[in-house]
Amino acid sequence: MDIVTSFSLLNNSHDAIVEAINKIDEKIAPPSLLLVYFSEDYDCNILQATLTEHYPNTPFLACSSCQGFMTEEGYIKGHGLALWAINDIVGAYGTSIISSNNSMFNIARQAILKAINNSGRIGESPALILLHATPGSEEEVIRGIEDVVGKNIAIIGGSAADDNVEGKWHIFNQEQQTQQGIGISVFYPNCEISFSFHSGYAATEYSAIATKVRGRDVIELDHQPAADVYQKWIQQKFEINSSIINESSLNPLGRLVGTIHDLPYFKLAHPLMVTQTNGLKMFASIIEGERLYFMTGTDERLITRAGRVITATNGIKLNPIGGLTIYCAGCMLKVQQRMKEVAVYVNIAMHNKPFVCPFTFGEQGQFITGENAHGNLMISAVVFHRD
């Protein structure tokens, strides 16, 4: 069993995907599964057609990434595409894309069933589910997947992204492509796998109850306009309907998930903007009645935590073959000038084994307690390793 990566920085869509494919072919036999991460300005029709022609028997799943990606060769800024390939003649893999913006719970059920069917392991639960949905209903998608396979199967992934939050994201596989829907890959690998999902932020003394919520808009905190409360906490004033992604990236809102050794851990929600009604539009859904904690982070934590998250999988101690890492686009943009350092920490944690890391608009992972969740400003990682 082998894992390899490649990338191309060429501007032309056909030339770029051919260059990346040729590099893969030099390293590995025909892949059992191919993952593709690419910039928003590549032509998905060309990428899809070229991959399908070259790998007619290989399932693949592709997802757009924000302003670059990482591999074991380092941080790639801006324009480019990356391939991650696994050759596993004993294992099984399948992908699916379902395009829709209605009843995402039911669409997720269809997507996971289709991916399992495409893997040839009908009736058998996968060891791992990789999720790449378009932003908006990730919590509902997770519930739909779990309704089919149960809550014990690890879901890792990241929401499709573009460069400037303009809806230019895409996902596709060998059968379909969409800007509104769900992409899934199921893994039945012939190796051990380990996971980790962390935020790296700490709660401050400030918190409030979400007393009025509409979808992903938090309208009131403790019966006061949510934006007023948040701006008091962060000690900044924001314009209505203007992005506050960068300003809020070190101070998201946290929801308590549980405790480990008496230490609390959180899933995060990233404020996107102040709404016309003086609420907060978020990148994750908030449940009315939840207590939201004002979280704090530092640039140094954002730079070093990716390596710590991978090390926390424990799989790194067991002869790693390779891995996947999902790193929040908001965090990347906050420390973009130091992302080469992030790549170094990930490489050290991975023992320089092949990995790929897109920058996403929402992260999915499994906490140490076994709960699958969607959050923001998080890092999700999976390590494939030999016994």
Side-chain angles (χ1 to χ4, degrees), residues 151-205:
K151 296 186 177 182
N152 296 323
I153 309 301
I155 300 171
I156 75 153
S159 307
D162 60 6
D163 287 349
N164 299 295
V165 201
E166 296 173 332
K168 296 180 180 179
W169 45 70
H170 286 83
I171 53 175
F172 67 87
N173 72 345
Q174 63 274 15
E175 298 175 336
Q176 193 172 349
Q177 58 179 273
T178 185
Q179 290 184 278
Q180 183 67 55
I182 302 167
I184 285 178
S185 179
V186 291
F187 292 65
Y188 300 83
N190 182 37
C191 70
E192 298 297 320
I193 49 178
S194 301
F195 324 97
S196 190
F197 187 44
H198 286 283
S199 73
Y201 289 70
T204 69
E205 70 271 29

CSV table of all heavy atoms in Angstrom, one decimal, residues 151-205:
chain,number,residue,atom,x,y,z
A,151,LYS,N,-23.2,6.6,14.4
A,151,LYS,CA,-22.3,7.7,14.9
A,151,LYS,C,-20.9,7.3,15.2
A,151,LYS,O,-20.1,8.1,15.7
A,151,LYS,CB,-23.0,8.3,16.1
A,151,LYS,CG,-24.4,8.9,15.8
A,151,LYS,CD,-24.9,9.6,17.0
A,151,LYS,CE,-26.2,10.3,16.7
A,151,LYS,NZ,-26.8,11.1,17.8
A,152,ASN,N,-20.5,6.0,15.0
A,152,ASN,CA,-19.2,5.6,15.4
A,152,ASN,C,-18.2,5.7,14.3
A,152,ASN,O,-17.0,5.6,14.5
A,152,ASN,CB,-19.2,4.1,15.9
A,152,ASN,CG,-20.1,4.0,17.1
A,152,ASN,OD1,-20.1,4.8,18.0
A,152,ASN,ND2,-20.8,2.9,17.2
A,153,ILE,N,-18.6,5.9,13.0
A,153,ILE,CA,-17.7,6.0,11.9
A,153,ILE,C,-17.2,7.4,11.8
A,153,ILE,O,-17.9,8.4,11.8
A,153,ILE,CB,-18.4,5.6,10.6
A,153,ILE,CG1,-19.1,4.3,10.7
A,153,ILE,CG2,-17.4,5.6,9.4
A,153,ILE,CD1,-18.2,3.1,11.1
A,154,ALA,N,-15.9,7.6,11.7
A,154,ALA,CA,-15.2,8.9,11.7
A,154,ALA,C,-15.5,9.6,10.4
A,154,ALA,O,-15.4,9.0,9.3
A,154,ALA,CB,-13.7,8.8,11.9
A,155,ILE,N,-16.0,10.8,10.5
A,155,ILE,CA,-16.1,11.7,9.4
A,155,ILE,C,-15.1,12.8,9.5
A,155,ILE,O,-15.1,13.5,10.5
A,155,ILE,CB,-17.6,12.3,9.3
A,155,ILE,CG1,-18.6,11.2,9.3
A,155,ILE,CG2,-17.7,13.3,8.2
A,155,ILE,CD1,-20.0,11.8,9.5
A,156,ILE,N,-14.2,12.9,8.5
A,156,ILE,CA,-13.3,14.1,8.4
A,156,ILE,C,-13.6,14.8,7.1
A,156,ILE,O,-14.1,14.2,6.1
A,156,ILE,CB,-11.9,13.7,8.5
A,156,ILE,CG1,-11.4,13.1,7.2
A,156,ILE,CG2,-11.6,12.8,9.7
A,156,ILE,CD1,-9.9,13.2,7.0
A,157,GLY,N,-13.2,16.1,7.1
A,157,GLY,CA,-13.4,16.8,5.8
A,157,GLY,C,-13.4,18.3,6.0
A,157,GLY,O,-13.1,18.8,7.1
A,158,GLY,N,-13.7,19.0,4.9
A,158,GLY,CA,-13.7,20.4,4.9
A,158,GLY,C,-14.6,20.9,3.8
A,158,GLY,O,-14.8,20.3,2.7
A,159,SER,N,-15.3,22.0,4.1
A,159,SER,CA,-16.2,22.6,3.1
A,159,SER,C,-15.5,23.3,2.0
A,159,SER,O,-14.5,24.0,2.2
A,159,SER,CB,-17.1,23.6,3.8
A,159,SER,OG,-17.7,23.0,5.0
A,160,ALA,N,-16.0,23.1,0.8
A,160,ALA,CA,-15.4,23.7,-0.4
A,160,ALA,C,-15.2,25.2,-0.3
A,160,ALA,O,-16.0,25.9,0.4
A,160,ALA,CB,-16.3,23.4,-1.6
A,161,ALA,N,-14.1,25.7,-0.8
A,161,ALA,CA,-13.8,27.1,-0.6
A,161,ALA,C,-13.4,27.7,-1.9
A,161,ALA,O,-13.1,27.1,-2.9
A,161,ALA,CB,-12.6,27.2,0.4
A,162,ASP,N,-13.5,29.1,-2.0
A,162,ASP,CA,-12.9,29.8,-3.1
A,162,ASP,C,-11.9,30.8,-2.5
A,162,ASP,O,-11.6,30.8,-1.3
A,162,ASP,CB,-14.0,30.5,-3.9
A,162,ASP,CG,-14.9,31.4,-3.1
A,162,ASP,OD1,-14.6,31.7,-1.9
A,162,ASP,OD2,-15.9,32.0,-3.6
A,163,ASP,N,-11.5,31.8,-3.3
A,163,ASP,CA,-10.4,32.7,-2.8
A,163,ASP,C,-11.0,33.8,-1.9
A,163,ASP,O,-10.3,34.3,-1.0
A,163,ASP,CB,-9.7,33.3,-4.0
A,163,ASP,CG,-8.8,32.3,-4.7
A,163,ASP,OD1,-8.6,31.2,-4.1
A,163,ASP,OD2,-8.3,32.6,-5.8
A,164,ASN,N,-12.2,34.3,-2.2
A,164,ASN,CA,-12.7,35.5,-1.5
A,164,ASN,C,-14.1,35.4,-1.0
A,164,ASN,O,-14.8,36.4,-1.0
A,164,ASN,CB,-12.5,36.7,-2.4
A,164,ASN,CG,-11.1,36.9,-2.8
A,164,ASN,OD1,-10.2,37.3,-2.0
A,164,ASN,ND2,-10.8,36.8,-4.1
A,165,VAL,N,-14.6,34.2,-0.7
A,165,VAL,CA,-16.0,34.0,-0.2
A,165,VAL,C,-17.0,34.6,-1.2
A,165,VAL,O,-17.9,35.3,-0.8
A,165,VAL,CB,-16.2,34.5,1.2
A,165,VAL,CG1,-17.4,33.8,1.9
A,165,VAL,CG2,-15.0,34.3,2.1
A,166,GLU,N,-16.9,34.2,-2.5
A,166,GLU,CA,-17.8,34.7,-3.5
A,166,GLU,C,-18.6,33.6,-4.1
A,166,GLU,O,-19.3,33.9,-5.2
A,166,GLU,CB,-17.0,35.4,-4.6
A,166,GLU,CG,-16.2,36.7,-4.1
A,166,GLU,CD,-15.3,37.3,-5.1
A,166,GLU,OE1,-14.8,36.5,-6.0
A,166,GLU,OE2,-15.0,38.5,-5.0
A,167,GLY,N,-18.7,32.5,-3.5
A,167,GLY,CA,-19.5,31.4,-4.1
A,167,GLY,C,-18.9,30.7,-5.3
A,167,GLY,O,-19.6,30.0,-6.0
A,168,LYS,N,-17.6,30.9,-5.5
A,168,LYS,CA,-16.9,30.3,-6.7
A,168,LYS,C,-16.4,28.9,-6.4
A,168,LYS,O,-15.5,28.4,-7.2
A,168,LYS,CB,-15.9,31.2,-7.2
A,168,LYS,CG,-16.4,32.5,-7.7
A,168,LYS,CD,-15.2,33.4,-8.2
A,168,LYS,CE,-15.8,34.8,-8.7
A,168,LYS,NZ,-14.7,35.7,-9.2
A,169,TRP,N,-16.8,28.2,-5.4
A,169,TRP,CA,-16.3,26.9,-5.0
A,169,TRP,C,-17.0,25.8,-5.9
A,169,TRP,O,-18.0,26.1,-6.5
A,169,TRP,CB,-16.6,26.6,-3.6
A,169,TRP,CG,-18.0,27.0,-3.1
A,169,TRP,CD1,-19.2,26.4,-3.4
A,169,TRP,CD2,-18.3,28.1,-2.2
A,169,TRP,NE1,-20.2,27.0,-2.8
A,169,TRP,CE2,-19.7,28.1,-2.1
A,169,TRP,CE3,-17.6,29.0,-1.6
A,169,TRP,CZ2,-20.4,29.0,-1.3
A,169,TRP,CZ3,-18.2,30.0,-0.8
A,169,TRP,CH2,-19.6,29.9,-0.6
A,170,HIS,N,-16.3,24.7,-6.0
A,170,HIS,CA,-16.8,23.6,-6.8
A,170,HIS,C,-16.4,22.3,-6.1
A,170,HIS,O,-15.3,22.2,-5.5
A,170,HIS,CB,-16.2,23.5,-8.2
A,170,HIS,CG,-16.7,24.6,-9.1
A,170,HIS,ND1,-16.2,25.9,-9.2
A,170,HIS,CD2,-17.7,24.5,-10.1
A,170,HIS,CE1,-16.9,26.6,-10.1
A,170,HIS,NE2,-17.7,25.7,-10.7
A,171,ILE,N,-17.2,21.3,-6.3
A,171,ILE,CA,-16.8,19.9,-6.0
A,171,ILE,C,-17.2,19.0,-7.2
A,171,ILE,O,-18.2,19.3,-7.9
A,171,ILE,CB,-17.5,19.3,-4.7
A,171,ILE,CG1,-19.0,19.5,-4.8
A,171,ILE,CG2,-16.9,20.0,-3.5
A,171,ILE,CD1,-19.7,18.9,-3.6
A,172,PHE,N,-16.4,18.0,-7.5
A,172,PHE,CA,-16.8,17.1,-8.6
A,172,PHE,C,-16.1,15.7,-8.4
A,172,PHE,O,-15.2,15.6,-7.6
A,172,PHE,CB,-16.4,17.7,-9.9
A,172,PHE,CG,-15.0,17.8,-10.2
A,172,PHE,CD1,-14.2,16.8,-10.8
A,172,PHE,CD2,-14.3,19.0,-10.0
A,172,PHE,CE1,-12.9,16.9,-11.1
A,172,PHE,CE2,-13.0,19.2,-10.3
A,172,PHE,CZ,-12.2,18.2,-10.8
A,173,ASN,N,-16.7,14.7,-9.0
A,173,ASN,CA,-16.0,13.4,-9.1
A,173,ASN,C,-16.1,13.0,-10.6
A,173,ASN,O,-16.3,13.8,-11.5
A,173,ASN,CB,-16.6,12.4,-8.1
A,173,ASN,CG,-18.0,11.9,-8.5
A,173,ASN,OD1,-18.7,12.5,-9.4
A,173,ASN,ND2,-18.4,10.9,-7.9
A,174,GLN,N,-15.9,11.6,-10.8
A,174,GLN,CA,-15.9,11.1,-12.2
A,174,GLN,C,-17.3,11.2,-12.8
A,174,GLN,O,-17.5,11.0,-14.0
A,174,GLN,CB,-15.4,9.7,-12.2
A,174,GLN,CG,-16.2,8.7,-11.5
A,174,GLN,CD,-15.8,8.6,-10.0
A,174,GLN,OE1,-15.1,9.5,-9.5
A,174,GLN,NE2,-16.2,7.5,-9.4
A,175,GLU,N,-18.4,11.4,-12.0
A,175,GLU,CA,-19.7,11.3,-12.5
A,175,GLU,C,-20.4,12.7,-12.6
A,175,GLU,O,-21.3,12.9,-13.4
A,175,GLU,CB,-20.6,10.4,-11.6
A,175,GLU,CG,-20.1,9.0,-11.6
A,175,GLU,CD,-20.9,8.1,-10.6
A,175,GLU,OE1,-21.4,8.7,-9.6
A,175,GLU,OE2,-20.9,6.9,-10.7
A,176,GLN,N,-20.1,13.6,-11.7
A,176,GLN,CA,-20.9,14.8,-11.6
A,176,GLN,C,-20.0,15.9,-11.0
A,176,GLN,O,-19.0,15.7,-10.4
A,176,GLN,CB,-22.1,14.5,-10.7
A,176,GLN,CG,-23.1,15.6,-10.7
A,176,GLN,CD,-24.4,15.2,-10.0
A,176,GLN,OE1,-24.6,14.1,-9.6
A,176,GLN,NE2,-25.3,16.1,-9.7
A,177,GLN,N,-20.5,17.2,-11.2
A,177,GLN,CA,-19.9,18.3,-10.5
A,177,GLN,C,-21.0,19.3,-10.1
A,177,GLN,O,-22.1,19.3,-10.7
A,177,GLN,CB,-18.9,19.0,-11.5
A,177,GLN,CG,-19.5,19.5,-12.8
A,177,GLN,CD,-18.4,20.2,-13.6
A,177,GLN,OE1,-18.2,21.4,-13.5
A,177,GLN,NE2,-17.8,19.5,-14.5
A,178,THR,N,-20.7,20.1,-9.1
A,178,THR,CA,-21.7,21.0,-8.5
A,178,THR,C,-21.1,22.1,-7.7
A,178,THR,O,-20.0,22.0,-7.2
A,178,THR,CB,-22.7,20.2,-7.6
A,178,THR,OG1,-23.8,21.1,-7.3
A,178,THR,CG2,-22.1,19.7,-6.4
A,179,GLN,N,-21.8,23.2,-7.6
A,179,GLN,CA,-21.5,24.3,-6.7
A,179,GLN,C,-22.4,24.3,-5.5
A,179,GLN,O,-22.3,25.2,-4.7
A,179,GLN,CB,-21.5,25.6,-7.4
A,179,GLN,CG,-20.4,25.8,-8.4
A,179,GLN,CD,-20.4,27.2,-9.1
A,179,GLN,OE1,-21.2,27.4,-10.0
A,179,GLN,NE2,-19.6,28.1,-8.5
A,180,GLN,N,-23.3,23.4,-5.5
A,180,GLN,CA,-24.3,23.3,-4.3
A,180,GLN,C,-24.6,21.8,-4.1
A,180,GLN,O,-25.5,21.2,-4.8
A,180,GLN,CB,-25.6,24.1,-4.7
A,180,GLN,CG,-26.6,24.1,-3.5
A,180,GLN,CD,-26.1,24.9,-2.3
A,180,GLN,OE1,-25.8,26.0,-2.5
A,180,GLN,NE2,-26.1,24.2,-1.2
A,181,GLY,N,-24.0,21.2,-3.1
A,181,GLY,CA,-24.3,19.8,-2.9
A,181,GLY,C,-23.3,19.2,-2.0
A,181,GLY,O,-22.6,19.8,-1.1
A,182,ILE,N,-23.1,17.9,-2.1
A,182,ILE,CA,-22.3,17.1,-1.2
A,182,ILE,C,-21.4,16.1,-2.0
A,182,ILE,O,-21.8,15.5,-2.9
A,182,ILE,CB,-23.2,16.2,-0.3
A,182,ILE,CG1,-24.2,17.0,0.5
A,182,ILE,CG2,-22.4,15.3,0.6
A,182,ILE,CD1,-25.3,16.2,1.1
A,183,GLY,N,-20.1,16.1,-1.6
A,183,GLY,CA,-19.2,15.1,-2.1
A,183,GLY,C,-18.7,14.2,-1.0
A,183,GLY,O,-18.3,14.7,0.1
A,184,ILE,N,-18.7,12.9,-1.3
A,184,ILE,CA,-18.3,11.9,-0.2
A,184,ILE,C,-17.3,10.9,-0.8
A,184,ILE,O,-17.5,10.5,-2.0
A,184,ILE,CB,-19.5,11.2,0.4
A,184,ILE,CG1,-20.2,12.2,1.3
A,184,ILE,CG2,-19.1,9.9,1.1
A,184,ILE,CD1,-21.5,11.6,1.9
A,185,SER,N,-16.3,10.5,-0.1
A,185,SER,CA,-15.5,9.4,-0.4
A,185,SER,C,-15.5,8.4,0.8
A,185,SER,O,-15.4,8.9,2.0
A,185,SER,CB,-14.1,9.8,-0.7
A,185,SER,OG,-13.3,8.6,-1.0
A,186,VAL,N,-15.7,7.2,0.6
A,186,VAL,CA,-15.6,6.2,1.6
A,186,VAL,C,-14.3,5.3,1.5
A,186,VAL,O,-13.9,5.0,0.4
A,186,VAL,CB,-16.8,5.2,1.6
A,186,VAL,CG1,-18.1,6.0,2.0
A,186,VAL,CG2,-17.0,4.6,0.3
A,187,PHE,N,-13.7,5.0,2.6
A,187,PHE,CA,-12.4,4.3,2.7
A,187,PHE,C,-12.6,3.0,3.4
A,187,PHE,O,-13.1,2.9,4.5
A,187,PHE,CB,-11.4,5.1,3.5
A,187,PHE,CG,-11.0,6.4,2.8
A,187,PHE,CD1,-11.9,7.5,2.6
A,187,PHE,CD2,-9.7,6.6,2.5
A,187,PHE,CE1,-11.5,8.7,2.1
A,187,PHE,CE2,-9.2,7.8,1.9
A,187,PHE,CZ,-10.1,8.8,1.7
A,188,TYR,N,-12.1,1.9,2.8
A,188,TYR,CA,-12.0,0.6,3.4
A,188,TYR,C,-10.5,0.2,3.2
A,188,TYR,O,-10.2,-0.7,2.4
A,188,TYR,CB,-12.9,-0.4,2.7
A,188,TYR,CG,-14.4,-0.1,2.7
A,188,TYR,CD1,-14.9,0.8,1.8
A,188,TYR,CD2,-15.2,-0.7,3.7
A,188,TYR,CE1,-16.3,1.1,1.8
A,188,TYR,CE2,-16.6,-0.4,3.7
A,188,TYR,CZ,-17.1,0.5,2.8
A,188,TYR,OH,-18.5,0.8,2.8
A,189,PRO,N,-9.6,0.8,3.9
A,189,PRO,CA,-8.2,0.7,3.6
A,189,PRO,C,-7.6,-0.6,4.3
A,189,PRO,O,-8.1,-1.1,5.3
A,189,PRO,CB,-7.5,1.9,4.2
A,189,PRO,CG,-8.4,2.2,5.4
A,189,PRO,CD,-9.8,1.9,5.0
A,190,ASN,N,-6.5,-1.1,3.7
A,190,ASN,CA,-5.8,-2.2,4.2
A,190,ASN,C,-4.7,-1.7,5.1
A,190,ASN,O,-3.5,-2.0,4.9
A,190,ASN,CB,-5.2,-3.1,3.1
A,190,ASN,CG,-4.5,-4.3,3.5
A,190,ASN,OD1,-4.9,-4.9,4.5
A,190,ASN,ND2,-3.4,-4.6,2.9
A,191,CYS,N,-5.1,-0.9,6.1
A,191,CYS,CA,-4.1,-0.4,7.1
A,191,CYS,C,-4.9,0.1,8.3
A,191,CYS,O,-6.1,0.2,8.2
A,191,CYS,CB,-3.2,0.7,6.5
A,191,CYS,SG,-4.1,2.2,6.1
A,192,GLU,N,-4.1,0.6,9.3
A,192,GLU,CA,-4.8,1.2,10.4
A,192,GLU,C,-4.9,2.7,10.1
A,192,GLU,O,-4.1,3.3,9.3
A,192,GLU,CB,-3.9,1.0,11.7
A,192,GLU,CG,-3.8,-0.4,12.1
A,192,GLU,CD,-5.1,-1.0,12.5
A,192,GLU,OE1,-5.9,-0.3,13.1
A,192,GLU,OE2,-5.3,-2.2,12.1
A,193,ILE,N,-5.9,3.4,10.7
A,193,ILE,CA,-6.1,4.8,10.6
A,193,ILE,C,-6.3,5.4,11.9
A,193,ILE,O,-6.9,4.8,12.8
A,193,ILE,CB,-7.2,5.1,9.6
A,193,ILE,CG1,-8.5,4.4,9.9
A,193,ILE,CG2,-6.8,4.9,8.2
A,193,ILE,CD1,-9.7,4.7,9.0
A,194,SER,N,-5.9,6.7,12.1
A,194,SER,CA,-6.1,7.4,13.4
A,194,SER,C,-6.5,8.8,13.0
A,194,SER,O,-6.1,9.3,12.0
A,194,SER,CB,-4.8,7.4,14.2
A,194,SER,OG,-4.3,6.1,14.5
A,195,PHE,N,-7.3,9.4,13.9
A,195,PHE,CA,-7.9,10.7,13.7
A,195,PHE,C,-7.6,11.7,14.8
A,195,PHE,O,-7.3,11.3,15.9
A,195,PHE,CB,-9.4,10.6,13.5
A,195,PHE,CG,-9.9,9.4,12.9
A,195,PHE,CD1,-10.3,8.3,13.6
A,195,PHE,CD2,-9.9,9.3,11.5
A,195,PHE,CE1,-10.7,7.1,13.0
A,195,PHE,CE2,-10.3,8.1,10.9
A,195,PHE,CZ,-10.7,7.0,11.6
A,196,SER,N,-7.7,13.0,14.5
A,196,SER,CA,-7.7,14.0,15.5
A,196,SER,C,-8.4,15.2,15.0
A,196,SER,O,-8.4,15.5,13.8
A,196,SER,CB,-6.3,14.4,15.8
A,196,SER,OG,-6.2,15.2,17.0
A,197,PHE,N,-9.1,16.0,15.9
A,197,PHE,CA,-9.9,17.2,15.5
A,197,PHE,C,-9.8,18.2,16.7
A,197,PHE,O,-10.2,17.9,17.8
A,197,PHE,CB,-11.3,16.7,15.3
A,197,PHE,CG,-12.2,17.8,14.8
A,197,PHE,CD1,-11.9,18.6,13.7
A,197,PHE,CD2,-13.5,17.9,15.3
A,197,PHE,CE1,-12.7,19.6,13.2
A,197,PHE,CE2,-14.4,18.9,14.8
A,197,PHE,CZ,-14.0,19.7,13.7
A,198,HIS,N,-9.2,19.3,16.4
A,198,HIS,CA,-8.9,20.3,17.5
A,198,HIS,C,-9.1,21.7,17.0
A,198,HIS,O,-9.1,22.0,15.8
A,198,HIS,CB,-7.5,20.1,18.0
A,198,HIS,CG,-7.2,18.9,18.9
A,198,HIS,ND1,-7.6,18.8,20.2
A,198,HIS,CD2,-6.6,17.7,18.6
A,198,HIS,CE1,-7.3,17.7,20.7
A,198,HIS,NE2,-6.7,17.0,19.7
A,199,SER,N,-9.2,22.6,18.0
A,199,SER,CA,-9.3,24.0,17.7
A,199,SER,C,-8.1,24.8,18.0
A,199,SER,O,-7.7,25.7,17.3
A,199,SER,CB,-10.5,24.6,18.4
A,199,SER,OG,-10.3,24.8,19.8
A,200,GLY,N,-7.5,24.5,19.2
A,200,GLY,CA,-6.3,25.3,19.6
A,200,GLY,C,-6.6,26.7,20.2
A,200,GLY,O,-5.7,27.5,20.4
A,201,TYR,N,-7.9,26.9,20.5
A,201,TYR,CA,-8.3,28.2,21.1
A,201,TYR,C,-8.7,27.9,22.6
A,201,TYR,O,-9.0,26.8,22.9
A,201,TYR,CB,-9.5,28.8,20.4
A,201,TYR,CG,-9.2,29.3,19.0
A,201,TYR,CD1,-8.9,28.5,17.9
A,201,TYR,CD2,-9.2,30.7,18.7
A,201,TYR,CE1,-8.6,29.0,16.7
A,201,TYR,CE2,-9.0,31.2,17.5
A,201,TYR,CZ,-8.7,30.4,16.4
A,201,TYR,OH,-8.4,30.9,15.2
A,202,ALA,N,-8.6,29.0,23.4
A,202,ALA,CA,-9.0,28.9,24.8
A,202,ALA,C,-10.2,29.8,25.1
A,202,ALA,O,-10.3,30.9,24.5
A,202,ALA,CB,-7.8,29.3,25.7
A,203,ALA,N,-11.0,29.4,26.0
A,203,ALA,CA,-12.2,30.2,26.4
A,203,ALA,C,-11.8,31.3,27.3
A,203,ALA,O,-10.9,31.2,28.2
A,203,ALA,CB,-13.2,29.4,27.1
A,204,THR,N,-12.3,32.5,27.1
A,204,THR,CA,-12.1,33.6,28.0
A,204,THR,C,-13.2,33.6,29.1
A,204,THR,O,-14.0,32.7,29.2
A,204,THR,CB,-12.2,35.0,27.3
A,204,THR,OG1,-13.5,35.2,26.9
A,204,THR,CG2,-11.3,35.0,26.1
A,205,GLU,N,-13.2,34.7,29.9
A,205,GLU,CA,-14.2,34.7,31.0
A,205,GLU,C,-15.6,35.2,30.5
A,205,GLU,O,-16.6,35.1,31.2
A,205,GLU,CB,-13.8,35.7,32.1
A,205,GLU,CG,-13.8,37.2,31.7
A,205,GLU,CD,-12.5,37.6,31.1
A,205,GLU,OE1,-11.8,36.8,30.5
A,205,GLU,OE2,-12.1,38.8,31.3
